[in-house]
Amino acid sequence: MKRSRWYYVSLGIVYFFLLGPFLIIFAAAFGEESTLSFPPQGFSLNWFANVFATEQFIYSFWTSLQLGLLATAIALILGTPVAYALTHFHFPGEGLVETVFSLPILVPGLVIGLSMLQFFVLFGKFNIVSGLLIGHIAILFPYAVRVVSVSLRNLDPSVEEAAINLGANRLRTFFLIVLPNIRAGIAAAFILGFITSFNNVPVSVFLSGPGIQTLPIAMLSYMEYYFDPTIAALSTLLIIFSIVLVQAAERVLGLSQFV
Amino acid sequence: MLEITDLRVEYEKGVPTLDHYDLTVHSGELVSLLGPSGCGKTTTLRAVAGFVVPASGQITVAGRDVTRIPPNQRDIGLVFQSYALFPHLTVAQNIAFGLRMRGVRGSERDRRVAEALKLVDLEGLGGRRPAQLSGGQQQRVALARAVVIEPQLLLLDEPLSNLDAKLRVTMRTEIRRLQQRLGVTTLYVTHDQIEALAISDRVVVMNQGRIEQSGSPEEIYKQPATPFVADFLGFENHFAGTVTAVQNGETQLQAAGRSFTAIHADHDLNPGNDVWVYFRSEAAQLAAAPAANSLPVEVLLRTFQGSAVEYVVQSAQGEFKVRMPEDQLRFDPGPAHLLLNPQQLIVMPKT
Amino acid sequence: MRRTITILVLPALLFIFIFFVLPLLFLLAQSVQDPETGRLTLAGYGDFFQRETSQIIYVRTLRLGLTITIIDIVLAYPASYFLARMPARRRTLAMSLVILPLMTNPVARTYAWLIILGRTGLINNVLLGLGLIDQPARLIFTEGAIILGLAQLFLPLMILSLVSAMENIPEDIEQAARSLGANSLTTFLRVIVPLSADGLVLGATLVFTGSITAYVTPVILGGNRMLMLSTLLRQRALMAFDEQGATVVAVVMIATALAVNLIVRLFRPKPAAQR
């Protein structure tokens, strides 16, 4: 393909717009001044030190990490059988089931968060942690079901039939034959689910409570009181975290085909 | 050995893919199901394997009624069109899978896997992954995997369709030799008539869920019983006629004012019957002068095909293809006479 | 068979019904219930649609959504074409850079715009330095700030939709058009654009519904001064403790998003490249 002027202009604008702001965050994170100004003056690592000195961030980071891992795992454990049923059987209400599991993508996160908050308040008994966990599991279902379905559809059905023909029942066939062959899809679903949970704000904002905050919520509340570049430093770390995760996933699994 | 009785299969309720279907395969026999796509041959095979649940009818294997037995308890070897090798397992693990499911362990399992690998000439490749093998090698693994469990019945679903033409010929010989060596009763599905004729003890030609004809490869090739079989087996030419007399195994015919004699006629024919007369392009010859069983034609086209020459000729009965050895007299476009060999005229009633 | 399917589907279905569908139904019920008497009333909705502030916010939300969608279409179309035609290896890298903003912490992603648009931020400093303005302009808490933030956030979705539609267009078709005398612009407009229409519609739907329901960006870049539906909802629920008011906003939001999806589903073009 001949690279026309248009090639450079159009891609240049897009990448400048998408990634330029990230570079500005990186630069701002290393400034000396305690107010947020750009271009930054001087050079210091104080703000990075401040990130690790702020208990709120450390604590909420662990909360988000555990929440993300647990919610994704549960969503996959519950969602994989659904994906299996949708790809292997025809049954009445099939379309309805598919729609129900894609709803959490269609319904705005903020509405999900609000409705769950009111529901949990109404029926009491739920502590904050389980409320947050339940909310995150619900929003991860669509990813779990869809990504696992895609990889199940990519598996030649006669491979499973071969195992059954050779004497394996459905359950053994699933664990011995199907599961090892959809590992990449499961891993992709896991990464996608984890990122979604880790970055979620609209659901968490209603379901967080005293003492339990996810990292993005902690960042938002910090920003209400402080205007120093600590958030820029933390953002720098999180962006690098995303780059590493996305690159690794893309290289190993071809993540973009599942998004 | 395999007995299918009055089988009916419906994918859609009320619309049968197979109906009133009967088939018997004797012990040690290799029977192929031949037909175009959608004729029900793969459905038959899948019903025997247990992946299709019949609406009615019965399937027995070695006297055991398997109609309601789940597919994983049937003890039937199956080779898939796509081979369906387990991508994450090695060749040896693929072959061992069926033994594993049967609780065969340790040295006994290793011995049988090694034997199977030897049987298909893949010694030394047991540690490879399927993706590291050529198409022909994958095919052999699929075969080894299916026969290592010593099934009572072996099913092959278009096993050669993913191979190139040359390999197809080699593999088909190998499959036949393997089958004869093991003496395993085999049902073989294919849409390729040459493959079916070459490999089978018996060929069953299917069309629209019914059996059109069942017979030895020679019978099927030389004496098709229905117009469908004749067309499918490559009879290039046919014309309409009327029976005038039947005697001493000879059938006298009348077509477009000319009379012909045909020797073969399996059907009960009576004078006055309307019939189709089929013949292959090799069953006729061009001649300069008229003779018995000849008709006047106009040569339209001559094409050189190596050892043979093919002519397209026009007659009162329509266009015919004629194939003659290359060293015979050459005919250029223009009038000539077509001599039909009475031994190779196939007469069947119009229905 | 039926038992197997039930075992597979039921646990997840129960979960989603109890913890997702049921709460939504309660929310819907609450929006039409008088908080004092518990009677059925549409007063909440009447209040929402009659009060000028909420009218302004609703219209603004839709207008910003539309603006952002158009900006993303214009930015994404040519770039997506070049991305779709890249050799596989380079495209993998290029696409992973495109989806990076989607995968990044939303606060971090939005924070950059504060640095760019703030009182002592990049743009003000540049304009002051050039002498174009005398004192810093207020750039945050404006519609423009929200548009920039959301257009950046959702551009990847637009590009992903367009690239996957354009990948399916065989290059032969373009060459055929070129051989028949079309120049590259005509080829793009007459061949590529019509054949990728389904990707465009999908992308536009995602960007529009995403924009009118987005939360973090309006909170940080719009604040309480430039409210959108989402920030209005937050205000009513978490600051004014007006539960019914919040549920009404929530229902309006969900209804708008579903309506857009429904309309698109009814009128969307068939995937052209597979026709």
Side-chain angles (χ1 to χ4, degrees), chain A residues 3 15 36 38 116 118 247, chain C residues 19 30 90 94 96 120 125:
Chain A
R3 307 266 177 82
Y15 282 112
L36 198 60
F38 202 91
M116 284 188 179
Q118 294 181 332
Q247 283 302 328
Chain C
F19 294 119
Q30 205 169 5
R90 185 171 334 135
S96 68
T120 53
N125 278 345

Side-chain angles (χ1 to χ4, degrees), chain A residues 62-137:
Chain A
W62 287 115
T63 304
S64 277
L65 192 70
Q66 289 169 358
L67 178 67
L69 294 176
L70 196 59
T72 312
I74 296 175
L76 272 172
I77 290 170
L78 287 171
T80 303
V82 177
Y84 185 88
L86 287 173
T87 49
H88 285 71
F89 305 111
H90 289 290
F91 52 93
E94 199 183 342
L96 187 70
V97 168
E98 224 172 333
T99 311
V100 166
F101 284 101
S102 64
L103 273 181
I105 275 189
L106 291 176
V107 177
L110 211 53
V111 179
I112 300 176
L114 178 65
S115 69
M116 284 188 179
L117 173 70
Q118 294 181 332
F119 187 75
F120 291 149
V121 168
L122 206 60
F123 291 93
K125 300 284 188 293
F126 286 94
N127 61 33
I128 296 166
V129 179
S130 52
L132 205 51
L133 183 62
I134 287 170
H136 277 233
I137 293 169

Side-chain angles (χ1 to χ4, degrees), chain C:
Chain C
M1 187 86 124
R2 174 165 296 176
R3 215 171 56 105
T4 313
I5 294 169
T6 311
I7 292 169
L8 291 174
V9 178
L10 201 63
L13 210 56
L14 275 180
F15 184 98
I16 215 110
F17 184 76
I18 294 173
F19 294 119
F20 181 82
V21 177
L22 221 51
L24 281 179
L25 293 177
F26 271 104
L27 179 125
L28 194 67
Q30 205 169 5
S31 77
V32 292
Q33 202 179 36
D34 191 300
E36 251 99 80
T37 63
R39 283 214 202 99
L40 192 71
T41 170
L42 287 173
Y45 290 94
D47 188 54
F48 179 87
F49 285 107
Q50 273 158 17
R51 209 190 287 182
E52 204 189 344
T53 48
S54 46
Q55 279 178 4
I56 291 174
I57 291 168
Y58 190 44
V59 172
R60 174 192 295 147
T61 303
L62 296 178
R63 190 181 63 235
L64 291 189
L66 203 61
T67 314
I68 292 157
T69 309
I70 292 168
I71 290 174
D72 279 348
I73 290 174
V74 172
L75 285 178
Y77 232 113
S80 302
Y81 170 75
F82 292 118
L83 284 165
R85 287 287 181 257
M86 270 184 193
R89 229 159 212 287
R90 185 171 334 135
R91 188 177 56 200
T92 306
L93 178 71
M95 290 307 285
S96 68
L97 284 176
V98 166
I99 61 173
L100 188 62
L102 277 181
M103 302 288 161
T104 307
N105 180 294
V107 181
R109 186 176 56 209
T110 317
Y111 193 67
W113 295 106
L114 282 185
I115 307 174
I116 297 169
L117 303 171
R119 272 184 75 80
T120 53
L122 176 64
I123 292 183
N124 270 322
N125 278 345
V126 167
L127 294 180
L128 285 169
L130 292 172
L132 290 172
I133 50 173
D134 302 330
Q135 47 182 334
R138 192 172 67 107
L139 300 172
I140 321 177
F141 307 135
T142 60
E143 289 194 358
I146 297 176
I147 291 173
L148 273 178
L150 289 179
Q152 185 218 11
L153 171 55
F154 291 120
L155 184 56
L157 288 183
M158 188 57 118
I159 293 179
L160 281 173
S161 312
L162 283 174
V163 168
S164 64
M166 288 177 181
E167 275 173 342
N168 294 332
I169 306 173
E171 250 173 287
D172 301 3
I173 291 191
E174 281 172 66
Q175 284 156 7
R178 297 299 295 267
S179 78
L180 294 167
N183 62 28
S184 46
L185 184 65
T186 316
T187 306
F188 185 77
L189 293 177
R190 291 290 184 89
V191 177
I192 302 296
V193 171
L195 285 178
S196 56
D198 57 313
L200 176 73
V201 171
L202 175 67
T205 314
L206 291 175
V207 173
F208 184 79
T209 52
S211 298
I212 63 170
T213 59
Y215 176 69
V216 176
T217 306
V219 164
I220 297 179
L221 298 177
N224 284 331
R225 272 189 258 181
M226 190 56 70
L227 287 171
M228 287 179 74
L229 273 187
S230 55
T231 34
L232 178 66
L233 194 160
R234 171 181 84 136
Q235 206 181 46
R236 290 202 174 163
L238 297 179
M239 295 171 189
F241 298 106
D242 171 10
E243 281 206 17
Q244 203 211 10
T247 56
V248 168
V249 179
V251 173
V252 169
M253 197 163 166
I254 205 173
T256 310
L258 288 179
V260 170
N261 270 300
L262 198 69
I263 291 168
V264 168
R265 218 165 267 205
L266 287 178
F267 294 104
R268 82 173 147 203
K270 300 237 160 58
Q274 287 131 39
R275 208 176 284 162

Side-chain angles (χ1 to χ4, degrees), chain B residues 54-272:
Chain B
S56 63
Q58 198 187 37
I59 301 168
T60 63
V61 176
R64 169 186 178 219
D65 182 351
V66 298
T67 319
R68 301 287 153 200
I69 290 181
N72 58 334
Q73 292 164 23
R74 287 199 182 187
D75 252 331
I76 290 173
L78 175 53
V79 175
F80 290 83
Q81 186 171 7
S82 62
Y83 315 141
L85 299 180
F86 308 130
H88 62 299
L89 300 181
T90 63
V91 167
Q93 288 167 335
N94 261 280
I95 297 172
F97 190 87
L99 298 171
R100 216 170 129 193
M101 293 303 115
R102 282 160 180 75
V104 180
R105 305 166 188 283
S107 59
E108 159 81 353
R109 186 157 91 197
D110 296 344
R111 184 183 58 76
R112 283 172 69 176
V113 169
E115 264 174 26
L117 277 168
K118 192 169 172 211
L119 193 68
V120 294
D121 269 338
L122 286 179
E123 291 149 297
L125 295 185
R128 298 252 186 113
R129 295 281 162 123
Q132 297 169 302
L133 301 181
S134 71
Q137 288 170 327
Q138 293 184 22
Q139 171 70 81
R140 288 160 200 254
V141 178
L143 266 172
R145 187 178 68 177
V147 299
V148 75
I149 59 172
E150 291 168 3
Q152 294 170 309
L153 180 66
L154 180 62
L155 307 175
L156 300 131
D157 185 10
E158 307 249 7
L160 305 178
S161 59
N162 287 333
L163 301 176
D164 64 49
K166 203 171 150 212
L167 205 51
R168 247 194 323 256
V169 175
T170 324
M171 276 312 294
R172 131 188 134 197
T173 319
E174 277 192 38
I175 290 177
R176 178 59 160 163
R177 283 171 61 183
L178 185 77
Q179 184 266 337
Q180 286 184 331
R181 183 135 48 109
L182 300 173
V184 57
T185 312
T186 303
L187 191 61
Y188 187 105
V189 161
T190 178
H191 65 272
D192 182 338
Q193 46 138 329
I194 298 171
E195 202 175 298
L197 297 174
I199 204 169
S200 315
D201 294 309
R202 192 150 55 86
V203 177
V204 173
V205 184
M206 289 181 61
N207 179 35
Q208 294 181 344
R210 285 175 295 105
I211 292 176
E212 291 271 337
Q213 188 178 1
S214 164
S216 72
E218 290 80 3
E219 281 170 343
I220 297 285
Y221 185 81
K222 291 183 179 162
Q223 295 161 47
T226 66
F228 175 84
V229 178
D231 278 335
F232 198 77
L233 269 291
F235 278 71
E236 297 92 336
N237 308 309
H238 68 273
F239 59 88
T242 310
V243 177
T244 51
V246 182
Q247 54 180 343
N248 308 333
E250 283 186 12
T251 309
Q252 300 296 329
L253 306 159
Q254 190 87 29
R258 306 190 72 85
S259 36
F260 300 93
T261 306
I263 308 289
H264 278 300
D266 288 342
H267 304 277
D268 284 336
L269 295 170
N270 296 306

